[in-house]
Amino acid sequence: MSSSALSASTGTAAPVLHDFGDGPFGIYVHVPFCATRCGYCDFNTYTAGELGTSASPQSWLTALRGELATAAREFAALPTPTPDVSTVFVGGGTPSLLGGDGLAAVLDAVRAEFTLAPGAEVTTESNPESTSPQFFERIRAAGFTRVSLGMQSAAAHVLKVLDRTHTPGRAVAAAREARAAGFEHVNLDLIYGTPGERDADLDASLDAVLAAGVDHVSAYSLIVEDGTALARRVRRGELPAPDDDVLAARYERIDARLRSAGLGWYEVSNWAAGDAAACRHNLGYWDGGDWLGAGPGAHSHVGGVRWWNVKHPARYADRVGAGGLPAAGWEALSAEERYTERVMLAVRLRTGLPLADLASSARPAVDRVVADGLALRTADDRLVLTDRGRLLADGVVRELLD
């Protein structure tokens, strides 16, 4: 970054940057607080009981302001001006636990150090149980333009397996409250393939999503992550592991219902009611843009250099207070690594992967995946997954990279 940043060989975690890339620039803010820990979650989150007196939302916000100020100074030392921020995404954890005023303060902290581009997309994740009409009105007035709500399922027994605390129906009510407060763009998250979930449960969840009138849906297959409470239950035989064939059938069921309702896929796990409804922040990741990740454990990427912050909120605050960025480590991506990531991410998009971006050695693999019905060549020379290809997207990526 600036001349004060040292190289990796010195043992410091300070990343060394040279310039921004040509893509969009976004800011991700990680809120590490949760009221309870969901059994399937392996994100960098902490309950009040786990933190004790070592950290609080206020100490986190103070440290966040410090990190944003330091990053702005470091970016100002780069050869080209810092781009205007096209997207802000506040995730977690449970950002809505900060309340409307707390989230307004987060956005104020970003604005104090960076310039938001006209029409910037500003998103916050929220747990339905920690929202209200007044909450949505407050964050809309503060400048948030998009809300993403964790619904997961409309079935009470599925939510219980996931250790989700919200009641069935609350997510739909919250989505309607957000729309009533003036949010044009509202997302609901679903998780499918939970042990005990039936087709009827998924259908009820999709009915609820469509009744909410949202313009974006994210649907993720349940992944049993090592170290989680869910993984321990599966290992003990209390719950069966998700079945791949069931997951594929559920994905097809979700896609058919959403497509019939006018929501088309634009990334393998995301559907939107047109281009304007797509999450521009996530598209920045998938299109290889730059972003600053602020907060404990957050990851950043600028011009082919990636770094990640220390995870614990107390240690994060200590590192920020000592000066410099709170990075735990960093890496400069090689040309081969950047190529691999480009293929992995672009293949998952509805816009596909430009064939010109592929190495010549990958052309036989293109012919194979097309012949197998997993992808199509478009008229503008892009490789786009077919419906069947989306079910086997990881395999298509492996084929192209082998």
Side-chain angles (χ1 to χ4, degrees):
M1 290 181 134
S2 69
S3 59
S4 63
L6 302 179
S7 70
S9 63
T10 66
T12 181
V16 178
L17 301 187
H18 303 290
D19 212 343
F20 285 93
D22 296 328
F25 176 52
I27 292 180
Y28 172 79
V29 176
H30 186 71
V31 180
F33 308 110
C34 279
T36 60
R37 181 174 295 281
C38 298
Y40 63 91
C41 179
D42 71 337
F43 294 164
N44 187 45
T45 63
Y46 305 83
T47 65
E50 289 169 337
L51 287 173
T53 60
S54 66
S56 69
Q58 187 54 53
S59 66
W60 166 84
L61 181 58
T62 298
L64 176 71
R65 291 185 177 120
E67 182 185 9
L68 291 170
T70 299
R73 289 194 302 271
E74 296 285 353
F75 290 163
L78 296 178
T80 56
T82 303
D84 289 351
V85 177
S86 58
T87 62
V88 178
F89 195 106
V90 185
T94 310
S96 50
L97 286 179
L98 300 176
D101 288 344
L103 281 171
V106 169
L107 188 52
D108 285 344
V110 172
R111 286 194 181 112
E113 305 297 341
F114 295 91
T115 300
L116 267 61
E121 175 192 87
V122 184
T123 303
T124 183
E125 294 180 337
S126 297
N127 185 304
E129 292 293 343
S130 52
T131 64
S132 66
Q134 295 74 27
F135 167 84
F136 292 118
E137 290 166 4
R138 177 68 180 97
I139 64 172
R140 186 72 187 92
F144 284 83
T145 66
R146 187 174 180 275
V147 173
S148 181
L149 293 158
M151 175 178 171
Q152 320 317 348
S153 175
H157 70 97
V158 173
L159 293 175
K160 184 176 180 180
V161 171
L162 295 173
D163 293 323
R164 294 289 294 184
T165 58
H166 67 265
T167 55
R170 176 56 202 155
V172 170
R176 289 173 172 160
E177 291 166 2
R179 293 178 62 227
F183 282 96
E184 181 181 357
H185 302 306
V186 180
N187 171 67
L188 284 171
D189 276 351
L190 292 176
I191 289 179
Y192 60 94
T194 301
E197 179 190 61
R198 302 161 300 191
D199 286 348
D201 298 323
L202 181 59
D203 288 343
S205 297
L206 291 167
D207 288 342
V209 164
L210 297 177
V214 297
D215 68 343
H216 192 287
V217 176
S218 299
Y220 305 103
S221 64
L222 180 66
I223 298 175
V224 180
E225 301 284 3
D226 289 342
T228 63
L230 179 63
R232 291 189 289 272
R233 294 183 69 187
V234 169
R235 188 169 58 250
R236 291 194 297 263
E238 298 173 14
L239 294 171
D243 180 89
D244 288 342
D245 291 337
V246 171
L247 293 177
R250 294 272 160 80
Y251 180 88
E252 292 176 326
R253 201 178 193 95
I254 291 167
D255 184 55
R257 285 292 307 278
L258 296 180
R259 185 182 300 184
S260 67
L263 283 82
W265 78 282
Y266 70 97
E267 192 274 342
V268 168
S269 299
N270 291 273
W271 291 257
D275 292 344
C279 179
R280 286 159 48 196
H281 185 83
N282 286 341
L283 281 170
Y285 297 149
W286 298 322
D287 285 334
D290 291 325
W291 70 91
L292 169 68
H299 286 232
S300 300
H301 172 270
V302 172
V305 176
R306 183 163 47 210
W307 69 98
W308 47 95
N309 287 348
V310 295
K311 287 187 172 183
H312 196 278
R315 187 167 175 237
Y316 164 77
D318 289 342
R319 290 285 295 273
V320 173
L325 292 173
W330 68 280
E331 60 182 348
L333 300 177
S334 67
E336 182 179 357
E337 289 168 331
R338 297 180 77 170
Y339 172 78
T340 296
E341 292 198 357
R342 171 66 176 152
V343 172
M344 289 175 60
L345 297 173
V347 162
R348 295 180 62 87
L349 294 174
R350 180 66 183 85
T351 51
L353 174 67
L355 292 176
D357 289 356
L358 280 171
S360 58
S361 59
R363 296 310 171 94
V366 170
D367 294 337
R368 288 194 295 272
V369 297
V370 170
D372 289 343
L374 301 177
L376 299 171
R377 285 192 189 92
T378 64
D380 58 348
D381 283 331
R382 289 174 174 267
L383 189 71
V384 175
L385 294 175
T386 61
D387 291 347
R388 179 167 170 262
R390 279 188 281 157
L391 296 172
L392 301 169
D394 291 343
V396 172
V397 170
R398 287 193 298 270
E399 186 76 15
L400 294 174
L401 293 175
D402 282 348

